[in-house]
Amino acid sequence: MMGEKHTTHAIGALIGATIVAMGLLSGSVNANVFICWVEHILLPNLPNKRGSVMHNASFHKG
């Protein structure tokens, strides 16, 4: 529709300069969306013996 706002968000993970997990999402990101991305995109692509550091975005807090 004309005038309707559509937003696309990118969620990604880097190891050094390499993208190991990426997601493009239409609409807003909340805790449920973020947790789904972590479970289904990030964790399966995270190499063994690696951890993660997240900034203080509100959806990280669940």
Side-chain angles (χ1 to χ4, degrees):
M1 296 190 127
M2 189 173 238
E4 190 175 328
K5 185 178 178 183
H6 295 280
T7 305
T8 301
H9 295 277
I11 301 177
L14 297 171
I15 295 179
T18 303
I19 297 173
V20 294
M22 181 60 129
L24 293 176
L25 308 157
S26 295
S28 59
V29 177
N30 58 30
N32 291 333
V33 170
F34 180 72
I35 291 167
C36 186
W37 176 81
V38 168
E39 291 175 347
H40 297 280
I41 306 296
L42 177 60
L43 292 178
N45 290 293
L46 199 61
N48 291 333
K49 299 184 181 181
R50 296 288 179 143
S52 66
V53 176
M54 298 176 202
H55 63 70
N56 201 23
S58 60
F59 52 80
H60 291 163
K61 299 174 186 175

